[in-house]
Amino acid sequence: MTSVGEIRLALEQSCEFLRDAYRSVREAQNALDEAVDILLDASADHHESLVPAGFVAAGEKFADQLELIVGSLELVQRLAVEL
């Protein structure tokens, strides 16, 4: 049988994993933004954009992913408090 303490520990670990995921997504977002900026600058010397369409699509999804992570973190923290 699992104790309440073990469940709390698992919830704390889940919170840490979610925080790590949030940081990783933010880092990826920043790296993609930098890459887009570099490609936009380089595109000034070309007749068409060097920014792949997939970069734009990926950039638009970061906010949704971060919102899901934050929402999940809040739910796990609330559950931990209720134990």
Side-chain angles (χ1 to χ4, degrees), residues 56 59 73:
V56 174
L73 180 58

Side-chain angles (χ1 to χ4, degrees), residues 58-77:
E60 293 171 352
K61 296 180 191 248
F62 280 116
D64 292 337
Q65 297 304 313
L66 291 170
E67 185 178 325
L68 286 171
I69 293 169
V70 169
S72 298
L73 180 58
E74 289 171 353
L75 289 172
V76 173
Q77 288 173 328

Side-chain angles (χ1 to χ4, degrees), residues 15-35:
C15 286
E16 192 56 39
F17 291 144
L18 287 165
R19 287 184 194 99
D20 288 344
Y22 184 90
R23 284 188 290 273
S24 294
V25 170
R26 290 290 295 155
E27 287 175 14
Q29 183 180 33
N30 291 336
L32 183 62
D33 289 345
E34 283 183 43

Side-chain angles (χ1 to χ4, degrees), residues 28-44:
Q29 183 180 33
N30 291 336
L32 183 62
D33 289 345
E34 283 183 43
V36 168
D37 288 343
I38 291 168
L39 290 169
L40 284 172
D41 288 343
S43 293

